[in-house]
Amino acid sequence: MMTRASSFSIVKTFLSCVIFCCDKGKAHNRLVQHPRKMSLLHVCCTTVRGFVKKGLFLESTYTACHRTAGYASGGVAKDKEPLKKAKTPQGRFDMDETESKSKVVFERFPDDVNPETKEKGGPRGPDPTRYGDWERKGRCIDF
Amino acid sequence: ITDVALLMFLTNKNTFCCFIQLPAVCQASNRKLHFSIYGKKGDAKVSDGISTQYPVVDHEFDAVVVGAGGAGLRAAFGLSEAGFNTACVTKLFPTRSHTVAAQGGINAALGNMEEDDWRWHFYDTVKGSDWLGDQDAIHYMTEQAPAAVVELENFGMPFSRTEEGRIYQRAFGGQSLKFGKGGQAHRCCCVADRTGHSLLHTLYGRSLRYDTSYFVEYFALDLLMEDGECKGVIALCMEDGSIHRFRAKNTVIATGGYGRTFFSCTSAHTSTGDGNAMVTRAGLPCQDLEFVQFHPTGIYGAGCLITEGCRGEGGILINSEGERFMERYAPNAKDLASRDVVSRSMTIEIREGRGVGPVKDHVYLQLHHLPPQQLATRLPGISETAMIFAGVDVTKEPIPVLPTVHYNMGGIPTNYKGQAITHENGEDMVVPGLYACGEAGCASVHGANRLGANSLLDLVVFGRACALTIAETNTPDTRHNPENCDLFIYLSFFLIGEKLSPLKPNAGEASVANLDKIRFANGSTRTSEIRLNMQKTMQNHAAVFRTGDVLKEGCEKMDSVYKSMDDIKTFDRGIVWNTDLVETLELQNLMLNAVQTIVSAEARKESRGAHAREDFKDREDEYDYSKPLQGQVKKPFEQHWRKHTMSYVDPKTGKVTLEYRRVIDSSLNADDCAAIPPAIRSY
C-alpha cells in the first residue's frame, strides 16, 4: 500500500514537471504569437493536464477508498471523530463561546410572582412603565 | 435471549402491521394541510387574458384579506369561522409581521385593579386624539375592548395575572378615571414583556383551526376595481414569479403602516404602506397621512428607541460643540422637557449645523458622566442595548440619537364598521367590497395622536369588526366547500349563495405592465439611491420640525425625487424571487405615501396632536375653546382645521389633491355614552 502511494506521488511530480514545461512553452508561444503552432503544444498540454487531473482524481478516490477501507477494517478511533464545520471568523458583536450563553440581566422572581405588585407572569426586572413609557433594557418600545 | 428475540419479533411485527394499516388511516382522516398552493379545490385556472408572457392564475374566493399581522389574521379567521371561503395574501409569513415587535400591552376597561368604566377610556381616547378622532368609532372600540381582551384570553393568550387570578392591569400614560378627574387608571393588560409577539402567535395558532387558505410570500400589486367596486386583488407570487388574480366579493386590507418613508424609523423594512398605495392607485383617498408619531431619542442607523428614563436618570443631550443645548430651549425643564419640545430642539440644532457624525445629521445622548453602578441598577440592560445597536460602550462614549418615526395614525378611511369610504359632495360613500383595519385603516380612533396601548386594541377590534360586517351583509358561497355543511344547508346555499360578478378578462393589465416595465428598467439611478434620497428628504423636511418654508422646500424636493423614479435602474431580470423588483414596487408604494404626507402637512396650517408647526402653534377649531363659547361666532368649515384630510394622488405625475371631511362628533348611542364636546387638551 505504501509503495502504491509513493509510486502515485512520483508519477504526480513527473506529470507536474511536464505541465510546467508545457506551460512555459505555451507562454513563450503566446509571446511569439503563432496560434497554429501553439495548437499542437496546447493539445499536448491539455491531454497531459487531463491525465494529471485524472491521476489526481484517481488519487483522491484511492485515498477515499483507503479511508473507507480503514473504517471497515476496524477504525473505531476514526468513528468517534465528528465531522467539524469550519468556523467563520468571529465578528465584532459575536459573543465569546467561553462566556455564558445568556447574560441574565433580569432574574426570575420566585414562582414567577413579582414580590411588590404580586403580579404573576409579568415582566421581569423593574416595572417597565416606571418612566412613563415601556422600557426594557434601556430601549423604549412603541406599541 | 429467546425472550428478547420474541419481544423484538413482536414489536417488529407490530410496526410491520402499522405500515400496512397506514394508508387506511390517512384516508379516514379529514385533516388537511392549512397551506395549499392553489386554493381548496384546485379550481385555479390559468389564463392568457392579460399577456402571453405573464400567464395569470385566477382564484375565486368569498373574501380576500391582504396582510397577515394582528388585524389581518383576526379578520381572516373571523371570516373563516363564519363559513366564508377566505384567502389570506401576505408578503411575509404571518408570525413575521411587524405586530410581533409591539411588546407593550392592550388597554381595556376590565376593572380588575380598581373600579373602571369603558366610558372613561372613551373620554381618554377622544382627548388623546385631540378631537380629531371619530367619536362613533372610538365608542365602538372602547365598548368592545373588554370583550375583545377576554376573547383573546380565551384563545389562549397568557396574560399576566393578579393574586386572585384575574388579568393584571398596570398604569400607562394618558389613562385616567372619572373623565380625567379621578387620577391614573390601570388599564394596560400585558403578557410578560412580549404582548405583540404573543398576540400574533395566538391568533396564528387559532387561525389554523379554520379553513383559511394562506398565500404566503405573495406580493399584492393592486386592487381589481370595476365601476367603483372592488372585485379582488392581483398579486405576484415571489416564489415562482407567477401572477395571481384573487377574485372576491370582499377585500380586507390590513397591510400595516409606512414607517420606511423616513430615514430613521422603528418599523421593519417591510413597512412600506402597500395598502395605502393600492388604494391611491385605485383613485380612492387616504386620510390624515400627515399625522406621524415621533420619538425624540432613537438610535441613529438602528431605529431602536432609547427610553426617556435615560434622561430622567440624568442623561443629557449634546451637540457637536459638546454643549448641553436643551438649556437654551427649555431653561427650567432642560432635558426633561416634553417629547415634542425635545424633538424640535434636536432638529433645530441639526438644521443649524451643530449635528454630529460625518454628515452632521444627529446628536449625542451622553450617559458616561453617571456612575456605572447607578446605570446598571436603574437601567439594567442598557449597556447591552448600546453595544449591540449603537456599537458604543455606554460608560465611555455617548449614544448617537435622532428623532424617530414609530407610528402612522393615518391610512385608508373607514367607518366604524370597517368599510372603506370615499368622500363625494360632502357625504361619506361606502366603497362596495372594500374594507380596511389595523394600522393601514383609519377609522380614526387615534385622530391626531395615538395613546400608547391603544394600537393593539385597534387591531383586534377592527379586524373582528370587518369580519362581522362582511358576515352580516353576505352569505358564503358554499359550492366551494360542501363537506362543511349537511345536504339541506348545502342545497339552500346553492340556491341563494352569491356568485361572483363577472370581471373583464384583462383586469389587472396595468399592474402587470408596470411590473414588466420595472423588471426591465434601464435608467441610471439605483432603487437604493432613490429610496435614500426620499428618506433623507422626508427626515429633513417632514419630520418633527415643520414650518412653512421647510415644508414647501420639502414638497418641491419630493416632487423631483418622484420624477426621478422614471429613471430607475434595476439589475435582476429574472422573475423567480426577484427581490430587486419587489423592492422597487415597495419604493413606488412608499413614494405615494411620502408625497401625500408632506403635501398634507404643508397644507394644514395649525398644530394639532403629532402635527406640530412652528409658525402656527395653536389649534384652530370652529370655536376658540380656551374661552367661553357664549358670544363666539362659529367659523365656517373652510376656515377651521378640525377636519380630516383626504388626499388623492395622480400616480403618473405625483400631483396631490386634497379635500376635507368632517369629523364625526356623535357617538353611536347618545344615551349609552355621551359624546365629548371639544376642549383644550392639557395633561
Side-chain angles (χ1 to χ4, degrees):
Chain A
M1 277 193 186
M2 287 302 291
T3 50
R4 252 192 255 170
S6 57
S7 66
F8 253 87
S9 56
I10 288 167
V11 169
K12 205 170 87 176
T13 43
F14 167 69
L15 287 170
S16 55
C17 289
V18 171
I19 290 292
F20 180 62
C21 298
C22 284
D23 273 334
K24 248 192 146 177
K26 197 169 160 194
H28 173 72
N29 261 0
R30 267 206 210 106
L31 288 169
V32 171
Q33 288 184 1
H34 283 286
R36 284 180 205 260
K37 278 188 190 166
M38 194 182 90
S39 63
L40 186 63
L41 200 55
H42 184 72
V43 166
C44 291
C45 284
T46 46
T47 44
V48 171
R49 208 177 270 133
F51 274 126
V52 170
K53 278 190 189 150
K54 207 173 165 189
L56 285 170
F57 175 67
L58 284 172
E59 188 192 67
S60 61
T61 47
Y62 166 73
T63 45
C65 293
H66 177 71
R67 221 181 276 131
T68 47
Y71 276 150
S73 63
V76 180
K78 291 224 172 115
D79 263 331
K80 284 225 173 110
E81 254 179 50
L83 291 169
K84 277 191 185 153
K85 250 175 147 173
K87 282 200 186 141
T88 49
Q90 194 168 29
R92 183 158 64 121
F93 299 126
D94 282 346
M95 283 196 298
D96 217 359
E97 273 192 13
T98 50
E99 271 177 38
S100 59
K101 275 276 170 177
S102 58
K103 261 188 276 189
V104 177
V105 182
F106 300 122
E107 284 176 10
R108 289 196 72 165
F109 294 125
D111 277 339
D112 228 7
V113 177
N114 188 324
E116 286 128 39
T117 57
K118 307 280 182 286
E119 181 186 1
K120 194 167 175 185
R124 294 183 199 169
D127 189 40
T129 54
R130 65 193 187 285
Y131 292 118
D133 54 13
W134 191 279
E135 179 269 339
R136 183 88 179 148
K137 293 190 181 170
R139 290 164 64 182
C140 163
I141 308 293
D142 157 57
F143 57 102
Chain B
I1 295 172
T2 47
D3 287 345
V4 169
L6 191 61
L7 195 64
M8 279 175 68
F9 172 70
L10 281 172
T11 44
N12 282 339
K13 196 173 161 206
N14 279 340
T15 49
F16 182 64
C17 289
C18 279
F19 274 113
I20 290 180
Q21 279 172 9
L22 205 56
V25 170
C26 277
Q27 273 167 14
S29 157
N30 265 336
R31 189 153 175 78
K32 294 185 183 61
L33 289 175
H34 72 278
F35 183 93
S36 49
I37 310 282
Y38 288 112
K40 284 196 195 16
K41 295 288 148 201
D43 56 355
K45 297 175 274 290
V46 185
S47 80
D48 273 354
I50 291 184
S51 143
T52 44
Q53 296 202 325
Y54 292 99
V56 172
V57 181
D58 278 307
H59 306 263
E60 285 185 4
F61 286 95
D62 289 327
V64 173
V65 177
V66 183
L73 285 180
R74 183 67 190 83
F77 81 71
L79 288 165
S80 299
E81 200 180 7
F84 288 86
N85 191 4
T86 317
C88 187
V89 176
T90 164
K91 71 179 181 186
L92 299 170
F93 192 77
T95 52
R96 301 273 185 255
S97 310
H98 195 49
T99 310
V100 80
Q103 289 183 20
I106 306 185
N107 272 340
L110 292 166
N112 287 337
M113 307 301 285
E114 71 243 322
E115 204 199 300
D116 204 354
D117 191 347
W118 62 263
R119 294 169 189 84
W120 303 338
H121 186 192
F122 168 78
Y123 170 79
D124 292 326
T125 310
V126 170
K127 181 177 172 189
S129 76
D130 222 348
W131 278 277
L132 200 71
D134 290 329
Q135 296 200 21
D136 59 347
I138 300 178
H139 174 162
Y140 183 77
M141 183 178 86
T142 49
E143 191 178 9
Q144 300 284 321
V149 169
V150 171
E151 189 186 45
L152 280 175
E153 195 263 338
N154 289 341
F155 288 156
M157 199 162 150
F159 285 105
S160 61
R161 304 281 171 168
T162 59
E163 276 180 306
E164 296 108 43
R166 307 175 109 202
I167 296 179
Y168 185 87
Q169 293 179 286
R170 53 181 15 88
F172 198 68
Q175 305 295 324
S176 63
L177 298 165
K178 295 200 180 70
F179 303 104
K181 302 184 190 76
Q184 176 74 39
H186 296 75
R187 276 187 200 125
C188 182
C189 317
C190 70
V191 176
D193 63 345
R194 50 178 199 284
T195 311
H197 170 102
S198 169
L199 170 75
L200 201 57
H201 282 261
T202 307
L203 288 177
Y204 182 60
R206 185 76 184 177
S207 72
L208 296 180
R209 208 175 184 232
Y210 304 101
D211 245 347
T212 319
S213 310
Y214 280 98
F215 291 87
V216 178
E217 284 165 0
Y218 278 63
F219 187 86
L221 297 167
D222 266 312
L223 298 173
L224 300 170
M225 301 287 288
E226 213 165 284
D227 304 322
E229 194 184 325
C230 180
K231 294 197 175 179
V233 176
I234 182 167
L236 165 75
C237 173
M238 301 204 284
E239 194 180 341
D240 60 13
S242 52
I243 312 281
H244 293 253
R245 274 198 298 224
F246 296 90
R247 293 187 47 207
K249 197 153 183 289
N250 308 293
T251 310
V252 181
I253 298 188
T255 47
Y258 56 96
R260 281 283 148 185
T261 44
F262 290 85
F263 178 70
S264 180
C265 65
T266 59
S267 329
H269 288 279
T270 48
S271 293
T272 48
D274 301 324
N276 296 351
M278 279 160 57
V279 153
T280 305
R281 281 192 289 261
L284 298 169
C286 284
Q287 182 172 272
D288 291 341
L289 288 186
E290 66 266 33
F291 294 103
V292 179
Q293 260 191 342
F294 285 87
H295 189 276
T297 47
I299 298 184
Y300 180 77
C304 295
L305 301 172
I306 293 281
T307 178
E308 290 178 48
C310 288
R311 289 177 281 128
E313 292 294 331
I316 58 176
L317 290 163
I318 53 174
N319 59 13
S320 57
E321 289 158 17
E323 178 207 355
R324 186 179 176 180
F325 59 83
M326 285 308 300
E327 287 178 342
R328 274 187 284 125
Y329 296 96
N332 295 327
K334 294 186 210 173
D335 293 280
L336 295 175
S338 65
R339 272 190 191 184
D340 41 346
V341 173
V342 174
S343 309
R344 281 213 287 285
S345 318
M346 288 165 76
T347 316
I348 295 174
E349 287 294 304
I350 294 170
R351 282 191 74 80
E352 288 180 0
R354 290 188 289 276
V356 299
V359 279
K360 296 193 187 313
D361 57 352
H362 55 279
V363 294
Y364 278 138
L365 174 66
Q366 183 180 294
L367 289 168
H368 57 78
H369 60 282
L370 302 167
Q373 285 90 340
Q374 186 191 351
L375 267 184
T377 40
R378 297 288 184 83
L379 292 162
I382 192 166
S383 44
E384 187 190 329
T385 299
M387 179 49 85
I388 292 176
F389 294 102
V392 302
D393 182 357
V394 80
T395 49
K396 296 195 186 74
E397 299 160 291
I399 308 174
V401 295
L402 83 164
T404 303
V405 173
H406 60 85
Y407 190 80
N408 307 106
M409 266 75 73
I412 303 169
T414 67
N415 56 17
Y416 75 93
K417 294 186 218 171
Q419 296 169 311
I421 54 177
T422 182
H423 195 64
E424 271 165 44
N425 302 328
E427 289 295 319
D428 292 335
M429 311 277 293
V430 171
V431 177
L434 187 60
Y435 300 79
C437 54
E439 198 175 342
C442 184
S444 215
V445 278
H446 305 305
N449 191 30
R450 178 186 63 94
L451 290 180
N454 269 355
S455 71
L456 287 174
L457 180 62
D458 174 22
L459 302 183
V460 286
V461 169
F462 286 101
R464 181 169 163 271
C466 284
L468 289 177
T469 314
I470 294 175
E472 267 169 20
T473 49
N474 297 282
T475 40
D477 189 6
T478 344
R479 281 165 300 159
H480 289 290
N481 48 353
E483 74 272 1
N484 283 348
C485 311
D486 61 27
L487 189 64
F488 176 69
I489 300 175
Y490 171 65
L491 280 177
S492 57
F493 277 145
F494 193 85
L495 294 170
I496 60 171
E498 301 171 68
K499 289 199 202 41
L500 283 171
S501 53
L503 189 68
K504 286 202 196 100
N506 67 343
E509 202 174 18
S511 323
V512 179
N514 181 39
L515 187 98
D516 187 63
K517 185 182 95 172
I518 293 178
R519 188 176 153 208
F520 295 107
N522 208 4
S524 55
T525 19
R526 299 164 181 242
T527 309
S528 51
E529 285 164 13
I530 300 183
R531 189 172 55 221
L532 191 64
N533 283 344
M534 174 196 71
Q535 287 174 337
K536 291 267 184 195
T537 310
M538 291 297 282
Q539 184 77 26
N540 290 335
H541 298 272
V544 192
F545 183 75
R546 293 179 177 181
T547 39
D549 354 320
V550 169
L551 287 168
K552 274 202 183 51
E553 197 191 331
C555 289
E556 281 155 34
K557 277 196 188 163
M558 272 311 298
D559 199 38
S560 63
V561 176
Y562 193 93
K563 299 230 169 20
S564 75
M565 284 279 286
D566 296 328
D567 196 29
I568 202 163
K569 181 171 173 56
T570 49
F571 293 87
D572 190 350
R573 302 281 178 242
I575 194 68
V576 173
W577 201 262
N578 188 346
T579 48
D580 203 357
L581 172 66
V582 172
E583 277 189 24
T584 314
L585 290 167
E586 286 177 344
L587 179 62
Q588 284 187 331
N589 296 343
L590 281 173
M591 282 290 193
L592 288 171
N593 284 298
V595 291
Q596 289 182 67
T597 304
I598 200 166
V599 173
S600 325
E602 198 274 319
R604 184 172 278 265
K605 296 189 169 34
E606 64 154 0
S607 289
R608 183 182 292 266
H611 173 71
R613 281 181 70 151
E614 292 296 300
D615 43 354
F616 297 94
K617 286 200 190 227
D618 301 311
R619 221 174 70 178
E620 274 190 45
D621 305 318
E622 62 273 24
Y623 294 112
D624 185 356
Y625 289 101
S626 57
K627 304 191 188 100
L629 292 183
Q630 253 185 346
Q632 286 197 40
V633 176
K634 187 171 178 177
K635 284 191 203 153
F637 186 69
E638 295 78 33
Q639 287 182 18
H640 72 91
W641 283 101
R642 202 167 74 86
K643 49 197 183 185
H644 293 295
T645 317
M646 307 281 261
S647 46
Y648 302 81
V649 186
D650 176 12
K652 289 188 205 61
T653 56
K655 187 161 170 348
V656 181
T657 34
L658 299 173
E659 271 177 21
Y660 294 93
R661 177 186 155 236
R662 221 168 276 278
V663 174
I664 297 176
D665 281 321
S666 54
S667 63
L668 285 176
N669 186 342
D671 303 321
D672 217 9
C673 166
I676 315 281
I680 293 296
R681 183 172 82 131
S682 61
Y683 284 107

